[in-house]
Amino acid sequence: MAKDIVILGIETSCDETAAGVVKNGKEVLSNVIYSQINVHKKYGGVVPEIASRKHIEAISFVVEEALNEAKLSLNEVDAVAATYGPGLVGPLLVGLSYGKALAYAKGKPFIGVNHIDGHIAANYIGGNLTPPFVCLVASGGHSHIVYVKDYGEYKVMGKTLDDAAGEAFDKVARALGLGYPGGPAIEKAAKLGNMEAIEFPKSFMEEGNFDFSFSGVKTAVLNYLNRQKQKGEEVNIYDVAASFQRNIVEVLVKKLVEAARFKNVSKVSIAGGVASNGFLRQKLEEDAKKFGLSVYYPEKIYCTDNGAMIAAAAYYDFVKGKFSGMDLNAIPYLKIGEK
Ligand code: KG4
Ligand code: ZN
C-alpha cells in the first residue's frame, strides 16, 4: 500500500488566518481558523493593512494549533503548502513567507497553492468526487464556472465581468443595514421574507453564455431602496433580501447546470463562501435532478476560506512531484489555472 501523504496547508489571502493538516488530500486531521471578521466588521469590509497585521499576530499560534490538533510535529508532515494568490498582497505574504520558512527550516518540500484551486479541492475532502465535473466557484472575490478536466487541470468557461456573487451579497447587505459579511446575514433575513415580492433584473441569461454580471442587480436593489425612501414608503428588508437572494441563486444555478450539459459531464459542484448558502444548495439539487446531474458541495466549514482546502489542493501537486521554489512570490491577481 502506498505511503500516506500528510500536508500542512496555510491560508491567509483575505481575513482568515487558517491552517489545516490533511492526509491524502481527503482526510482532515485538523482545520484551525482564526477569523478577523469582528475586527473588520466596524469598517463594513476588510481593511488590508489591518488584515496583514492580524495575520502576523495569529499565524504562529494557528499553525501550532493545527499541528497539535493533528497530533503531529512539523517533522512528521510530508510537505508545507500555502496560498500565494489571488488575494490581498500583504495578507498573502504573511502566510506564504511563514510556510516557506517552515519548509526551508525542516528541509520539506514547499507547494504554493492557487486559492481558487483550494476552493475547488475542498470538494474532494471527505467525499468521493472525481474529475471530470463542472464547478461553480463563488466567493467574495470570484465567480467562475470552471470545467475541471482532471485534478488541477481547469478550463474557465465563464466568469464575472464586474462584481463577484459574494461581493454583491456584501454590498446589498450593507445597504439593508444587515452588516458584514453579507452572505450569511442575507440568507438569514431571506428566511423571513417573500422571495417573489420583487423582480430584480438578471444579466447574460442567453443560452451558452457562462459569464456573470452582478453589478446590475446590486444597483437595482440600491435604486429600489432609494425610490421607496423618496416615496416615503417603508421597505420590507426581508422581502428585498429574499428576492435578491433568489435572483442571484437562479442565475448561478441556471448557468452551472447549462455548463455541465454543454460539457456533457454528469457531475456538478459548488465552492467558495457563497456555496455555503442553503438556498443555493437546495435550488441546485432540484434543478440538477431534472437533468440527471449529481451534485457535490463541501461541508460549510470548507466553503469559506480555510487551511484544509489548501492542503487538499497541494496533495495533487505533491503526487505529481510539482514543488515550488523558495523564490515564489505572492501574486495578488493570480488567475485560475495559473501555476
Ligand atoms: O471564500 P470566502 O470565504 O472568501 C473569498 O475568497 O472571498 O467567501 C466569502 C464570501 C463573502 O462575500 C460572503 O458574504 C459570502 O462568501 N458568503 C455567503 C454565505 N456565506 C458566506 N454568501 C451567501 N450565502 C452565505 N451563506
Ligand atoms: Zn476564498
Side-chain angles (χ1 to χ4, degrees):
M1 212 173 105
K3 179 191 173 300
D4 286 331
I5 304 298
V6 177
I7 298 181
L8 165 68
I10 299 173
E11 156 62 40
T12 62
S13 67
C14 191
D15 61 346
E16 261 96 31
T17 316
V21 179
V22 177
K23 199 200 283 185
N24 300 330
K26 272 176 182 272
E27 191 187 328
V28 177
L29 304 183
S30 68
N31 188 38
V32 177
I33 303 168
Y34 166 73
S35 173
Q36 305 176 3
I37 280 178
N38 283 333
V39 182
H40 299 285
K41 233 178 197 160
K42 54 177 171 289
Y43 304 102
V46 179
V47 183
E49 183 53 34
I50 297 177
S52 308
R53 289 171 197 217
K54 289 284 159 196
H55 283 309
I56 291 172
E57 284 169 24
I59 187 82
S60 306
F61 176 74
V62 167
V63 169
E64 208 177 297
E65 272 298 294
L67 289 167
N68 284 345
E69 266 184 36
K71 297 190 175 56
L72 291 172
S73 75
L74 195 54
N75 290 321
E76 291 168 290
V77 305
D78 295 287
V80 180
T83 306
Y84 75 104
L88 301 166
V89 69
L92 281 170
L93 279 169
V94 177
L96 175 62
S97 312
Y98 200 85
K100 284 197 295 189
L102 288 183
Y104 184 70
K106 292 288 176 186
K108 305 276 179 189
F110 176 73
I111 300 167
V113 173
N114 183 318
H115 183 77
I116 312 291
D117 214 341
H119 275 304
I120 295 171
N123 274 291
Y124 302 133
I125 292 174
N128 51 9
L129 174 64
T130 51
F133 59 93
V134 174
C135 182
L136 163 75
V137 188
S139 70
H142 316 276
S143 298
H144 284 91
I145 290 196
V146 184
Y147 171 51
V148 182
K149 206 169 156 217
D150 205 341
Y151 296 102
E153 251 185 74
Y154 307 118
K155 185 175 181 323
V156 176
M157 298 177 70
K159 62 178 188 305
T160 182
L161 302 186
D162 40 57
D163 291 355
E167 192 180 352
F169 270 95
D170 292 336
K171 288 177 177 168
V172 166
R174 195 194 311 195
L176 292 174
L178 292 171
Y180 175 84
I186 295 225
E187 181 172 8
K188 197 169 158 213
K191 292 205 170 91
L192 305 170
N194 171 11
M195 64 175 156
E196 307 292 342
I198 312 156
E199 199 59 47
F200 293 118
K202 294 174 183 159
S203 302
F204 300 152
M205 294 307 276
E206 62 278 12
E207 209 167 303
N209 186 342
F210 304 118
D211 284 332
F212 301 104
S213 167
F214 293 116
S215 74
V217 55
K218 173 199 68 187
T219 310
V221 174
L222 301 183
N223 288 343
Y224 171 84
L225 296 177
N226 282 334
R227 262 200 320 273
Q228 295 297 102
K229 204 171 155 190
Q230 274 163 8
K231 286 195 279 185
E233 283 179 21
E234 233 181 86
V235 170
N236 181 329
I237 61 164
Y238 305 111
D239 284 356
V240 177
S243 302
F244 164 78
Q245 178 177 261
R246 174 177 62 84
N247 176 296
I248 301 271
V249 164
E250 281 177 358
V251 172
L252 293 175
V253 169
K254 173 186 180 285
K255 290 189 181 240
L256 175 56
V257 168
E258 218 174 272
R261 298 184 66 217
F262 184 81
K263 280 288 174 195
N264 214 6
V265 296
S266 60
K267 297 174 258 186
V268 290
S269 76
I270 51 177
V274 179
S276 56
N277 186 283
F279 183 62
L280 170 64
R281 291 169 175 229
Q282 182 197 326
K283 178 92 178 100
L284 179 60
E285 295 266 9
E286 283 167 16
D287 287 17
K289 203 186 271 172
K290 290 180 201 155
F291 298 102
L293 296 167
S294 315
V295 176
Y296 297 81
Y297 36 76
E299 272 179 46
K300 288 189 181 181
I301 193 68
Y302 304 126
C303 286
T304 41
D305 293 349
N306 66 89
M309 71 181 196
I310 302 304
Y315 170 77
Y316 300 95
D317 281 342
F318 187 99
V319 294
K320 289 178 198 157
K322 282 200 215 157
F323 303 120
S324 309
M326 284 295 136
D327 57 348
L328 183 71
N329 207 348
I331 306 180
Y333 295 101
L334 184 67
K335 292 205 174 69
I336 186 165
E338 270 182 9
K339 286 279 170 195

